[in-house]
Amino acid sequence: MAFLLTKLASLPSLLCLFTFLFWEVAGADRVPAIYVFGDSTADVGNNNYLPGSTAKANFPHNGVDFPAKRSTGRFSNGYNGIDFLAMHIGFKRSPPPFLSIASKIHHRIVSGIKGVNFASGGSGILDSTGDTMSITNQIENFATVRSNMTSHLSEMQADQLLSKSIFIISTGGNDIFDYFLQNNAPNVTEKEKFINTLVSTYKYHLEKLYNLGARKFGMVDIPPIGCCPFPRSLSPTGGCLDVLNELSLQFNKAAMALMHELSLKLKGMKYSIGSSNAVVSNIIRSPAAIGIKETKTACCGGGKFNGELSCTPNASFCSERNRYLFWDKLHPTHAASKLAGLAIYGGSPEFASPINFKQLVEEDD
């Protein structure tokens, strides 16, 4: 570890990924609950309960490094980035998936008092993206939870609880993938029109959550998805697909402007944008400095870069999982998610802005 930190000293951008490895958790008494929305980067098992969906990860080798080697529905060999953010905030891991608790009678869970994860793999900002639970559906489910709260809390107590809670949103990548599959060489005007549609829809979702009581928003931006093993497998050169990365950056820039605009307009709104884009880009640029040896090929899968086939029980998977950036053709490993969680929670403005998640937790109402 001492050798690793010495090497990192010459790499300021990456050093902050390890700066907070030994923090004491400070957020548990400040944040009563976490509410999670998004896609497979945030899903912890909702899709397990969707009978017609193929966007599932509740089978081996997923979860090989999760406690008891359980395949929970996370698209990971272990925990995902939301789990690590939740740990830093003061929770054991992500709150449970909404669909796993919807029919249970334990009032503190069903009422949403301890938080819920609504994220659904394959979903997007646009209702037309994927065939799982769209963000619109996820917010409708939260509205149900919100109405149930008043069975156990007064209206004022529910508002107070929500105002102190963190609303984490990680979405947008699937919208870009879907757009690319329909138009893999968009011109400037087409790109701009698509991004505008995406951002205006995102704005609608955020305002809906605000009107339901959300005040503290923890956003996670879109990583350089053109560098995932699946897009690389489509490239004749094996390089990153630039158009996907360009669209990701365009959305991230527009979303940053949107969040600033909303924070000026919506009373009491506070936010942090965690940059998974910056984290992954730094790892790809200087992998060896933080112990990563493979940034192109997935640990589990098949075909070129292990990016042509999914991670299934019949697929081969690597033994040095903590040294791979990608678990499968689209998702990061437990190790990479841990780095992202560290950087976004307590890192410099390169990794989270205008404040980091730790500062968002500590913000007074």
Side-chain angles (χ1 to χ4, degrees):
M1 177 64 81
F3 171 71
L4 177 58
L5 292 175
T6 302
K7 289 186 72 176
L8 284 169
S10 63
L11 295 165
S13 293
L14 289 169
L15 180 57
C16 74
L17 293 176
F18 281 89
T19 302
F20 301 98
L21 272 171
F22 307 106
W23 282 334
E24 291 182 6
V25 173
D29 58 343
R30 293 178 180 268
V31 178
I34 301 172
Y35 300 95
V36 183
F37 305 82
D39 53 28
S40 56
T41 59
D43 190 354
V44 294
N46 275 306
N47 283 11
N48 300 353
Y49 301 88
L50 299 179
S53 174
T54 57
K56 295 181 180 179
N58 57 341
F59 49 80
H61 304 291
N62 298 299
V64 65
D65 297 308
F66 195 84
K69 299 185 182 298
R70 285 191 295 132
S71 301
T72 60
R74 288 165 172 81
F75 293 78
S76 172
N77 57 305
Y79 289 119
N80 64 24
I82 301 301
D83 289 308
F84 288 112
L85 288 171
M87 290 175 199
H88 288 305
I89 292 170
F91 296 88
K92 184 178 180 180
R93 58 175 75 108
S94 164
F98 171 75
L99 293 180
S100 74
I101 60 167
S103 62
K104 295 186 179 178
I105 60 171
H106 192 302
H107 75 274
R108 286 180 65 80
I109 294 176
V110 176
S111 65
I113 291 171
K114 302 303 290 183
V116 185
N117 188 316
F118 301 92
S120 177
S123 69
I125 294 169
L126 304 177
D127 288 350
S128 58
T129 298
D131 59 0
T132 54
M133 291 195 299
S134 67
I135 295 292
T136 297
N137 297 145
Q138 293 174 38
I139 295 173
E140 288 170 352
N141 289 335
F142 171 70
T144 300
V145 169
R146 171 68 181 84
S147 65
N148 287 342
M149 282 184 182
T150 50
S151 302
H152 310 284
L153 301 172
S154 70
E155 194 70 38
M156 183 180 293
Q157 286 174 322
D159 286 342
Q160 206 167 38
L161 181 144
L162 293 176
S163 72
K164 293 177 181 294
S165 299
I166 303 292
F167 287 71
I168 301 178
I169 306 172
S170 179
T171 187
N174 288 327
D175 299 284
I176 292 175
F177 273 125
D178 274 16
Y179 178 74
F180 169 77
L181 292 174
Q182 297 166 36
N183 183 0
N184 61 14
N187 61 37
V188 173
T189 304
E190 290 169 333
K191 283 194 246 182
E192 188 175 318
K193 182 180 179 182
F194 169 66
I195 295 298
N196 287 342
T197 299
L198 213 51
V199 172
S200 63
T201 309
Y202 202 35
K203 179 181 180 182
Y204 171 81
H205 293 320
L206 294 171
E207 289 177 331
K208 184 79 172 173
L209 283 172
Y210 177 88
N211 291 333
L212 287 167
R215 292 298 180 269
K216 291 186 172 185
F217 293 83
M219 324 302 291
V220 179
D221 73 9
I222 303 175
I225 57 177
C227 295
C228 293
F230 169 61
R232 281 188 187 273
S233 74
L234 301 177
S235 169
T237 65
C240 301
L241 286 185
D242 291 338
V243 64
L244 289 172
N245 289 345
E246 288 163 7
L247 286 166
S248 299
L249 287 173
Q250 278 184 258
F251 173 80
N252 291 346
K253 183 178 179 180
M256 189 176 292
L258 170 65
M259 295 304 292
H260 178 68
E261 172 198 325
L262 290 177
S263 70
L264 298 177
K265 171 186 166 185
L266 303 177
K267 183 180 178 182
M269 176 185 167
K270 300 177 177 70
Y271 72 95
S272 172
I273 302 176
S275 185
S276 63
N277 196 289
V279 174
V280 173
S281 296
N282 269 275
I283 293 173
I284 289 172
R285 278 197 299 268
S286 304
I290 49 174
I292 300 291
K293 74 171 187 180
E294 181 54 66
T295 61
K296 296 179 181 179
T297 298
C299 174
C300 183
K304 191 177 178 183
F305 299 112
N306 272 349
E308 295 177 313
L309 302 174
S310 298
C311 179
T312 65
N314 294 326
S316 60
F317 67 103
C318 66
S319 58
E320 294 184 294
R321 294 180 289 280
N322 63 334
R323 303 198 68 188
Y324 275 65
L325 171 57
F326 294 104
W327 164 239
D328 62 16
K329 63 183 183 178
L330 291 172
H331 304 99
T333 57
H334 171 106
S337 293
K338 184 174 184 179
L339 292 174
L342 287 167
I344 290 170
Y345 186 75
S348 70
E350 180 184 3
F351 299 111
S353 65
I355 57 176
N356 59 37
F357 275 39
K358 183 173 186 287
Q359 292 165 321
L360 182 66
V361 165
E362 294 169 349
E363 280 271 341
D364 294 324
D365 297 335

